[in-house]
Amino acid sequence: MSKMDRTYASPSFQNLTAITTNSSDHFGSSSSPSPTSISTGGSRSVKIIPLEHPSTSAPGSGSGSGSGSVVAKWKARMKRMTWKEWIELFFPCYRWMSTYKVREYLQPDLMAGITVGVMLVPQSMSYAKLAGLQPIYGLYSGFIPIFVYTIFGSSRQLAIGPVALTSLLVSNVLSSIVEPSDKLYTELAILLALMVGILECTMALLRLGWLIRFISHSVISGFTTASAFVIALSEAKYFLGYEIERSSKIIPLVKSIISGAHKFSWPPFVMGSLMLAILLTMKHLGKTRKYLRFMRAAGPLTAVVLGTAFVKIYHPPSISLVGDIPQGLPKFSVPKQFGHIKSLIPTTALITGVAILESVGIAKALAAKNGYELDSNQELFGLGLANICGSFFSIYPTTGSFSRSAVNHESGAKTGLSGLVMGIIMGCALLFLTPVFEYIPQCALAAIVISAVIGLVDYDEAKFLWRVDKKDFLLWTITCMTTLLLGIEIGVLVGVGVSLAFVIHESANPHIAVLGRLPGTTIYRNTQQYPEAYTYNGIVIVRIDAPIYFANTSYIKDKLREYEIEKEESKGRGPEVSRIYFVILEMAPVTYIDSSAVQALKELHQEYKSRDIQLAISNPNRDVLLTLAKAGVVDLIGKEWYFVRVHDAVQICLQHVQRLTEFPKAQDFLAENKPSLFQRLLNQRKDEFFQPELESGVRESLLSKDTNPQLEPLMSKKP
């Protein structure tokens, strides 16, 4: 036997000596990762790949090394950056400006900017009315933020400005503090824009955008669907001709509509319904026919022009108008009413969350379609600066619009120049068109809002979730119903809470699989997924498909006990034994293990030791192995029971199981708590059996000496 031969003996049994008595080396002591041969008797050897055990005293293994390495990498990256990369970091617009192709990009950018700009003017006034503000503040919100975002934002197609969902959130929170007619209402809306911008920039600088990932798509879909109904009912007052209660709950809205039915007026209802029909028809034609794509963007402008023309000609007294709108660009002013900051914090967080999910999600999708990369944190920073700068020019919270961004992309926008064109159109509207806007019917603006939010009702998503994942459908339903019945804030909180509860439940009850060997290979897979995979008597192989931490250790231990019992009742390949002697944990999917899990592993080892069961570990990653080494678990179990592959562990365990079958009374002695005999049995070797015979459970030599030890034909299980 060569010096590379290794001893495989269980440290659970103190007197266990080497399988190969001539070997003096211990597994894992060599720094070389080359395969090791273990003689099984006869002329064949079992090839085992030694597992590299990291040193606990090596540089970088300390607890502070993680943050130190991050800082070092950051400094190295800063040193490598060129002046061009520094400019792109602070001014992302430089990326498209430096590579702008005038002949190829200018015309589609101008057309897209004009198209979306024309769409933005009436929409911004409509959304301002939804937020409980004067239409002029919607125009302001669609002006300054566009220019700021074009410079500091990283998306080239995202169209930012007022949106329906944010407007509803603003209205919901501010109306509970003060009446919309009060000047304080407007000042709080401007302050809210500043707070949202600061929070977005802070999250971007701290790179905390990942926190929003805990809000699942099912929650957002259910929330937006419910919000669409609330928004539509809130705008119904302009169709019906009488005031209804301001609320984010559907029941008070419906009660208010029913109780005021005697005030119903036909003219605004007929006009609003006609405007809505025109909008929906133009949107449908624009979506379904490419050559009529312009109609989707031209819908809001058409409704405004037709409504204004009708009012100018016939002067119907029962149709309310927008009224006087100040002319000119917004003036610089510092946000006020900082004493209300505390009461606005929850809404600030909610609006920021919606902004990240809607804007960053849309921006990423458009960036992928147009072939460039997008930095989510830079995107968040651009949105934050747009709100901060805009708050000094009387805006309320703005974010990326799904509908306008889609139109911008479909119109052929290539760069941020389309956004500059939108801003210029909005500036022209503020300078020259506000005298015309005072004749716009309120019901026409309401029709624009309702036509926009109809697209938020996500029936297709609900049907998809019902078909694919009932749990996500339940989450969608809970979020939707709580938002409708209890309000927007409670709906979001309940949805996120239930979503996190699902995550915690999945994490605390991870997937655990019993592995078997695929016929003719050395690959081990889930026996439920691959019924043809076979197991071995006396050995159970378990794969844990999750990090192991304090919340799931009890569940994992319980499952291991169940698998041990189930294996005792089943028949596999290999020598016939009456119970389990080895448990192999495949830890490749385990990315992390905490102190509670380490303690649980120690307890599990002691529990197995008391029942003469040896624990073996397969393929732990470096961090997990380092944690186990620091906690003394590696030495407790024994370095020789840590393996690179499951197959290596199985081969060694099979050798020990074979020794037990050669002594018929061994298990009787084991039952009498005499582990010393088990120790002696594991140390004895018989040279008349080859490894393939052990794996198949056949005592006659079925394979030649030249057979590849890593492969074996499919053999039927023992009856």
Side-chain angles (χ1 to χ4, degrees):
M1 183 70 68
S2 67
K3 289 184 178 180
M4 287 301 294
D5 291 344
R6 294 288 181 262
T7 298
Y8 285 87
S10 171
S12 303
F13 314 112
Q14 299 175 359
N15 299 325
L16 199 59
T17 57
I19 293 175
T20 308
T21 56
N22 295 332
S23 172
S24 59
D25 294 339
H26 288 282
F27 178 72
S29 61
S30 172
S31 60
S32 171
S34 58
T36 301
S37 297
I38 300 296
S39 175
T40 62
S43 59
R44 291 187 67 256
S45 295
V46 177
K47 292 186 177 181
I48 303 298
I49 303 173
L51 178 69
E52 287 288 333
H53 287 271
S55 172
T56 57
S57 60
S61 63
S63 59
S65 63
S67 58
S69 63
V70 170
V71 173
K73 289 179 181 178
W74 182 81
K75 288 181 178 179
R77 182 187 175 189
M78 294 298 103
K79 290 180 180 179
R80 291 195 304 268
M81 288 179 66
T82 63
W83 64 269
K84 182 179 178 181
E85 290 173 332
W86 279 105
I87 294 176
E88 290 178 352
L89 179 65
F90 292 103
F91 302 99
C93 62
Y94 181 76
R95 296 170 189 167
W96 59 264
M97 291 175 66
S98 60
T99 58
Y100 197 85
K101 301 175 183 177
V102 177
R103 291 184 179 180
E104 188 177 343
Y105 294 165
L106 184 59
Q107 183 179 354
D109 278 345
L110 290 176
M111 291 302 297
I114 293 171
T115 302
V116 181
V118 168
M119 183 180 181
L120 174 60
V121 173
Q123 274 196 348
S124 60
M125 291 189 288
S126 304
Y127 294 146
K129 294 292 291 181
L130 175 62
L133 299 165
Q134 294 299 314
I136 187 64
Y137 293 103
L139 295 172
Y140 290 163
S141 300
F143 178 55
I144 293 295
I146 288 180
F147 293 103
V148 178
Y149 177 80
T150 301
I151 298 172
F152 297 101
S154 53
S155 175
R156 303 173 191 179
Q157 285 79 30
L158 188 69
I160 75 164
V163 297
L165 197 52
T166 301
S167 301
L168 178 64
L169 292 171
V170 170
S171 171
N172 183 56
V173 66
L174 297 187
S175 60
S176 64
I177 299 175
V178 63
E179 285 296 320
S181 57
D182 197 315
K183 185 180 178 182
L184 176 62
Y185 189 97
T186 302
E187 292 175 347
L188 291 180
I190 296 169
L191 176 62
L192 197 57
L194 176 64
M195 293 174 63
V196 168
I198 292 173
L199 181 57
E200 288 174 338
C201 285
T202 302
M203 293 183 69
L205 293 173
L206 297 177
R207 307 189 73 82
L208 295 178
W210 59 269
L211 289 172
I212 306 300
R213 298 175 195 166
F214 286 99
I215 304 179
S216 73
H217 180 69
S218 302
V219 171
I220 294 301
S221 177
F223 170 67
T224 54
T225 298
S227 299
F229 285 104
V230 174
I231 292 170
L233 289 175
S234 299
E235 293 295 290
K237 62 184 178 182
Y238 299 114
F239 277 53
L240 301 174
Y242 59 88
E243 288 293 323
I244 62 175
E245 181 180 344
R246 299 182 67 89
S247 176
S248 63
K249 305 173 186 177
I250 195 169
I251 293 179
L253 285 171
V254 172
K255 284 183 177 179
S256 179
I257 291 172
I258 295 173
S259 63
H262 63 281
K263 303 176 186 177
F264 177 75
S265 176
W266 280 104
F269 179 78
V270 173
M271 187 177 192
S273 299
L274 286 173
M275 294 297 107
L276 182 59
I278 291 170
L279 285 165
L280 294 177
T281 302
M282 294 182 71
K283 181 188 286 188
H284 176 73
L285 291 173
K287 280 185 176 181
T288 56
R289 291 170 174 79
K290 287 187 177 181
Y291 62 91
L292 295 176
R293 215 164 34 185
F294 69 93
M295 295 186 71
R296 181 180 179 187
L301 181 63
T302 303
V304 167
V305 170
L306 290 176
T308 304
F310 180 82
V311 169
K312 290 284 285 183
I313 295 172
Y314 295 103
H315 306 284
S318 57
I319 294 179
S320 61
L321 306 180
V322 169
D324 184 48
I325 297 179
Q327 189 172 3
L329 301 179
K331 294 182 173 62
F332 179 87
S333 63
V334 178
K336 305 172 184 177
Q337 305 298 335
F338 290 99
H340 290 82
I341 285 179
K342 188 175 180 181
S343 61
L344 296 179
I345 288 176
T347 304
T348 300
L350 185 56
I351 291 175
T352 301
V354 171
I356 295 174
L357 289 164
E358 187 172 359
S359 300
V360 178
I362 298 165
K364 278 191 170 183
L366 294 176
K369 288 182 179 180
N370 288 274
Y372 64 91
E373 292 185 0
L374 188 81
D375 185 346
S376 299
N377 290 292
Q378 180 66 56
E379 186 70 11
L380 194 54
F381 186 74
L383 289 170
L385 276 183
N387 278 291
I388 291 174
C389 296
S391 67
F392 292 94
F393 294 91
S394 303
I395 74 162
Y396 75 97
T398 60
T399 187
S401 166
F402 180 82
S403 59
R404 293 195 299 272
S405 298
V407 171
N408 196 32
H409 168 69
E410 291 167 3
S411 300
K414 301 295 182 183
T415 67
L417 181 62
S418 63
L420 294 177
V421 175
M422 295 177 213
I424 292 171
I425 290 176
M426 185 63 71
C428 292
L430 285 166
L431 288 171
F432 308 114
L433 298 179
T434 51
V436 180
F437 292 161
E438 65 179 281
Y439 296 102
I440 298 175
Q442 300 265 31
C443 57
L445 295 181
I448 292 172
V449 173
I450 294 173
S451 68
V453 300
I454 285 176
L456 297 178
V457 180
D458 208 348
Y459 293 120
D460 291 336
E461 179 68 13
K463 290 189 291 186
F464 171 79
L465 294 176
W466 173 260
R467 187 174 66 252
V468 175
D469 191 337
K470 298 295 191 295
K471 184 180 65 177
D472 278 344
F473 176 79
L474 176 63
L475 183 58
W476 185 94
T477 305
I478 290 173
T479 305
C480 184
M481 296 308 296
T482 52
T483 302
L484 285 174
L485 299 175
L486 303 178
I488 291 175
E489 290 87 351
I490 296 178
V492 171
L493 289 175
V494 170
V496 173
V498 175
S499 180
L500 290 177
F502 284 163
V503 171
I504 293 170
H505 179 268
E506 291 296 326
S507 179
N509 300 273
H511 180 262
I512 303 175
V514 173
L515 305 185
R517 183 177 177 181
L518 295 180
T521 72
T522 59
I523 299 171
Y524 292 77
R525 291 292 182 265
N526 187 348
T527 54
Q528 291 186 350
Q529 185 177 359
Y530 298 93
E532 69 272 19
Y534 52 83
T535 58
Y536 293 104
N537 294 324
I539 303 171
V540 60
I541 310 165
V542 178
R543 187 186 68 214
I544 303 170
D545 294 329
I548 308 177
Y549 69 114
F550 64 92
N552 61 18
T553 52
S554 297
Y555 176 82
I556 291 172
K557 288 172 68 176
D558 291 342
K559 293 297 289 184
L560 288 174
R561 293 188 188 99
E562 290 178 16
Y563 291 142
E564 183 185 341
I565 296 170
E566 290 172 4
K567 287 294 292 182
E568 288 180 18
E569 297 173 351
S570 64
K571 283 286 185 178
R573 293 198 173 195
E576 294 184 3
V577 291
S578 59
R579 65 177 185 86
I580 294 297
Y581 288 97
F582 294 94
V583 175
I584 302 172
L585 295 184
E586 161 64 306
M587 298 185 70
V590 179
T591 56
Y592 168 75
I593 185 168
D594 72 351
S595 57
S596 299
V598 168
Q599 186 61 36
L601 205 56
K602 288 182 178 180
E603 294 171 359
L604 186 66
H605 169 73
Q606 294 299 330
E607 182 181 331
Y608 281 159
K609 180 179 178 181
S610 67
R611 300 203 303 272
D612 295 323
I613 298 174
Q614 175 61 52
L615 185 64
I617 307 294
S618 169
N619 197 22
N621 70 39
R622 185 183 183 279
D623 292 337
V624 170
L625 194 57
L626 191 60
T627 301
L628 295 177
K630 288 179 179 179
V633 178
V634 170
D635 293 329
L636 180 67
I637 297 176
K639 288 186 177 181
E640 64 273 20
W641 290 105
Y642 286 77
F643 301 89
V644 173
R645 302 180 304 168
V646 172
H647 188 63
D648 294 343
V650 171
Q651 290 184 92
I652 298 306
C653 293
L654 279 172
Q655 293 181 22
H656 294 316
V657 173
Q658 177 63 28
R659 306 297 176 263
L660 296 172
T661 62
E662 296 164 5
F663 292 83
K665 296 183 180 180
Q667 296 182 38
D668 294 336
F669 283 100
L670 288 173
E672 297 173 9
N673 296 320
K674 295 182 179 180
S676 58
L677 178 58
F678 182 54
Q679 297 163 11
R680 292 196 299 272
L681 290 174
L682 290 181
N683 295 329
Q684 297 179 24
R685 34 185 318 218
K686 297 294 179 180
D687 296 336
E688 62 267 31
F689 302 120
F690 292 161
Q691 183 67 17
E693 299 170 20
L694 299 180
E695 295 179 352
S696 65
V698 181
R699 291 183 176 269
E700 290 77 22
S701 179
L702 298 175
L703 301 176
S704 67
K705 296 178 181 179
D706 297 327
T707 300
N708 186 343
Q710 303 303 320
L711 300 175
E712 106 178 289
L714 175 62
M715 298 180 183
S716 60
K717 293 185 178 182
K718 300 285 288 183

